Each structure stands twice: as C-alpha cells, then as structure tokens.
Amino acid sequence: MAPTATDRHRTPAAGRWQPLAGETLTPSGVPSATVAAVSGLTAATAGPEEPLVLARGLVKRFGDFEAVRGIDVEVRRGEAFGFLGPNGAGKTSTMRMIAAVSTVTAGTLRVLGMDPATDGPAIRGRLGVCPQDDTLDSELTVRENLLVYGRFFGLSRAKCARRADELLGFVQLTDKVNARVEELSGGLKRRLTVARSLVNEPELLMLDEPTTGLDPQARHLVWDRLFRLKQRGTTLLLTTHYMDEAEQLCDRLVVIDDGVIVAEGSPATLIREHSTREVCELRFEVDDHEQVAAKVSDLAERVEVLPDRVLLYADNGEAVAQAVHERGLSPRGTLVRRSSLEDVFLRLTGRSLVE
C-alpha cells in the first residue's frame, strides 16, 4: 500500500535533530514523550528573574573528540541571544544540548529551570525550534501544516485552528492558507517554518540560521517578525552566519571557536573592545597588498591583509585615507566605514564565518 502523507512525514529529513536512544519522534520530528509532557507532566520552572538557560562548565564529547570544552552560558528571559562561530566551532552541539536532544558529557545545564537529563520531554514541550533545513510537509497546505503540528503538542483542534489563524497573520501568509507548501518560495517557506515553531507558544524560541539562503527582502521581513516577537517578550536563541543579522537581532552574543567561548557581550560592546571605531579599506593590485601593508602599518592600530584588500583599523578612518594618499600611494578603491562584528570575528578567530 502506498504511504500516506503522514507516513512520509515519518521519514527522517536531512538536518533534523535525531532522537535519543530509545526515543521515538512524532511525524514532524517532535519527540512522542513531549506530548505527554505538555499534557500532564509537572516540572520545575525558571522563576521570572532566573535565566532560561544556565550552563556551567558545559562539555560535549564524541569519542575522543571534544566539541564543546567547558563553556559557561546564561540566557536571560526576554532577550535575544546569539551563537557565532565558524563551522565546527561547537555551536550546533551546544544548541542540541540546550534543546534536550543530546546528552551532556560534563558540567551542569538547566533549561527553563529544569535538567535536560531528567526533564527532557517537559523542556521540549515548551521550546520552539526553527531548524535550518526545511522540514515542512510539502503535501499539506500551509494551514494544515500548523494544524497538524499543533496536535503533536496536545493542543485541542479549536486551539490549533485559532493559533494557525493568528500565526499566519503574524507572518503575513493569510493569502496562502490553502496553498500547498511545494508551491511556496524559499522566503515563504521560511516564514511558515517560523510560524510553525510558535504553535505551542514557546517560552524559548531556538533558531538555527533563520535566514540562510533568503534574498535581502525576505531576510528583512523575517528579521521584522523576529524583532516583533522579542518586543512581545519571547526569548530568542539563535545561530547565524550573518553579521548584520546578529547586530540587528541580538542583545548579547558569544563567539565560539574550537569549542570555547572567546568573547561575550552586546554587539556594540564586542566592537568597542575588540576593534577600532572605523576601518579604512584599500584596494590595490592583488600582488601589491603585502608591500602596501608594510608601508602603511604605522598609520593604524592594526593592519590586515585580505585576498582582495588591505584593512587599516583606526578611530579616524578619513585621516588614515588622507595619509595614505599623501605617501604617494594610489589605491584603486578606498572605503571608510564603521567597524562591524565581522571585523571582531576576523580578529578573534583569524578566519571568516563562511570558511
């Protein structure tokens, strides 16, 4: 007999977090025990002044490989907190432990005032997860995706219908309620995924690369919706490869490299502590960059040579640009800009996020 849409949905999707040993998933990837947790379990909860996530000396090992090496993390209620780091830095391993789908090797972790080791189902029932990969049911309509997902959390049909209508309005998809998912663009699918992650009214919304692959217009719309969620008091925990996204959304963030936290603070604080106020970018012929850097190194606090340009870090970028020209150097292009999180990242890790 041919599988139904629901049966197909049980097939593990690429990128979906896998269950713990002995645990089963509902058709859309929600652990079965989560429904029981939401419906009947009573567990401790974080008080209004307690952090929603509190990790101390958190470690995750895979055999002999230590992916997370004793980090401390504190996510406060109502804030947007970001994890930045190159591929393989330990971001995903940390997020999986917080989401109670990966066991902690060592250290302590509390999520919503509970221990993931013993209260995993109850924690997952109060989280919203927006994965990087598309796990929507392509054979269902936009509205049906929300209705079905809500039932996995034990919500009544009436409440599922009410939440679906509210969320489709929130992400501006009311004109697509009867469209099948396979008919949607990437940006519309992303908005639907955000809506689906909010069906159970989570206390903590976890987003893994929320706007990867979207065009600028779609990215800004998703940013607007996430900013509105933050204004409503929803706590956001996200990973991102976009520095402007982190600056737009995050109240605080940590930079992770090789399993350890190398910096923590607000975007403005990190820029102030690890960079200068401005950056002067000079573009010469590629083979000339090293020689140029040696000639202008005394004009800036720090000089970096990239494949396509030379970066001079100084508080007064215009003065640096003028001094460069006064030395008889004629770059093909000159740009003075304010320092950014990307500059901080390059200094702390020595490489770009997209490496």
Side-chain angles (χ1 to χ4, degrees), residues 286-344:
V286 175
D287 294 338
D288 297 336
H289 284 163
E290 290 289 351
Q291 295 178 0
V292 169
K295 294 178 181 179
V296 300
S297 60
D298 61 314
L299 299 179
E301 293 184 25
R302 182 164 55 95
V303 176
E304 282 192 75
V305 179
L306 301 183
D308 60 338
R309 61 196 185 277
V310 178
L311 305 182
L312 282 73
Y313 292 86
D315 287 332
N316 190 335
E318 292 290 351
V320 169
Q322 181 65 31
V324 168
H325 285 276
E326 289 174 354
R327 293 189 177 186
L329 299 173
S330 301
R332 293 191 303 167
T334 303
L335 171 67
V336 175
R337 58 171 176 80
R338 72 177 181 88
S339 287
S340 67
L341 276 179
E342 185 168 351
D343 299 310
V344 172

Side-chain angles (χ1 to χ4, degrees), residues 57 87 102 155 200 205 228 249 251 258 323:
N87 293 331
S102 180
L155 305 183
N200 60 322
L205 178 60
R228 290 171 185 265
L249 296 177
D251 300 306
D258 196 25

Side-chain angles (χ1 to χ4, degrees), residues 25-350:
L25 298 180
T26 59
S28 278
V30 180
S32 303
T34 294
V35 177
V38 175
S39 301
L41 283 180
T42 301
T45 185
E49 302 302 322
E50 296 179 38
L52 292 193
V53 177
L54 181 63
R56 292 290 180 263
L58 192 63
V59 174
K60 180 64 182 181
R61 297 190 190 96
F62 298 95
D64 294 332
F65 175 68
E66 196 169 49
V68 181
R69 301 163 53 195
I71 66 172
D72 296 341
V73 174
E74 183 175 313
V75 181
R76 303 161 189 160
R77 187 180 298 273
E79 76 173 340
F81 189 93
F83 286 105
L84 302 183
N87 293 331
K91 304 186 305 295
T92 298
S93 296
T94 302
M95 290 280 277
R96 286 172 54 84
M97 288 187 283
I98 294 172
V101 295
S102 180
T103 55
V104 174
T105 303
T108 60
L109 176 63
R110 293 294 181 271
V111 181
L112 304 176
M114 296 177 281
D115 184 350
T118 55
D119 301 312
I123 291 171
R124 291 189 291 271
R126 291 160 58 185
L127 296 179
V129 177
C130 183
Q132 180 178 354
D133 298 306
D134 174 21
T135 57
L136 299 167
D137 194 322
S138 61
E139 297 185 358
L140 298 181
T141 67
V142 166
R143 191 169 189 270
E144 287 169 345
N145 264 273
L146 301 187
L147 296 176
V148 171
Y149 199 70
R151 293 293 287 167
F152 295 147
F153 285 93
L155 305 183
S156 67
R157 286 184 173 84
K159 185 166 185 177
C160 285
R162 184 170 65 254
R163 288 293 292 159
D165 293 339
E166 291 172 354
L167 291 170
L168 291 175
F170 176 69
V171 298
Q172 299 181 357
L173 285 177
T174 51
D175 59 334
K176 299 289 185 180
V177 290
N178 295 318
R180 292 193 179 276
V181 168
E182 58 190 10
E183 302 170 7
L184 302 181
S185 66
L188 296 181
K189 287 180 180 178
R190 202 63 188 151
R191 283 150 60 183
L192 179 57
T193 300
V194 171
R196 192 183 68 172
S197 69
L198 296 169
V199 163
N200 60 322
E201 299 180 88
E203 294 177 56
L204 176 63
L205 178 60
M206 304 181 67
L207 305 114
D208 187 11
E209 307 291 346
T211 63
T212 294
L214 301 187
D215 61 62
Q217 183 179 17
R219 286 176 65 203
H220 280 275
L221 195 145
V222 171
W223 288 354
D224 177 73
R225 299 300 99 177
L226 295 179
F227 183 75
R228 290 171 185 265
L229 282 174
K230 190 172 72 169
Q231 286 183 312
R232 295 180 179 184
T234 301
T235 305
L236 306 180
L237 180 59
L238 68 147
T239 68
T240 180
H241 278 175
Y242 294 121
M243 295 296 95
D244 52 349
E245 181 163 88
E247 290 192 57
Q248 286 274 349
L249 296 177
C250 294
D251 300 306
R252 291 189 305 124
L253 53 89
V254 293
V255 179
I256 302 180
D257 190 27
D258 196 25
V260 299
I261 293 176
V262 295
E264 178 178 359
S266 68
T269 298
L270 289 177
I271 292 171
R272 184 171 60 251
E273 292 180 351
H274 299 281
S275 189
T276 54
R277 191 170 66 88
E278 294 183 339
V279 181
C280 177
E281 297 190 2
L282 305 175
R283 296 177 186 270
F284 294 85
E285 295 298 331
V286 175
D287 294 338
D288 297 336
H289 284 163
E290 290 289 351
Q291 295 178 0
V292 169
K295 294 178 181 179
V296 300
S297 60
D298 61 314
L299 299 179
E301 293 184 25
R302 182 164 55 95
V303 176
E304 282 192 75
V305 179
L306 301 183
D308 60 338
R309 61 196 185 277
V310 178
L311 305 182
L312 282 73
Y313 292 86
D315 287 332
N316 190 335
E318 292 290 351
V320 169
Q322 181 65 31
V324 168
H325 285 276
E326 289 174 354
R327 293 189 177 186
L329 299 173
S330 301
R332 293 191 303 167
T334 303
L335 171 67
V336 175
R337 58 171 176 80
R338 72 177 181 88
S339 287
S340 67
L341 276 179
E342 185 168 351
D343 299 310
V344 172
F345 200 88
L346 284 169
R347 182 168 194 181
L348 292 174
T349 70

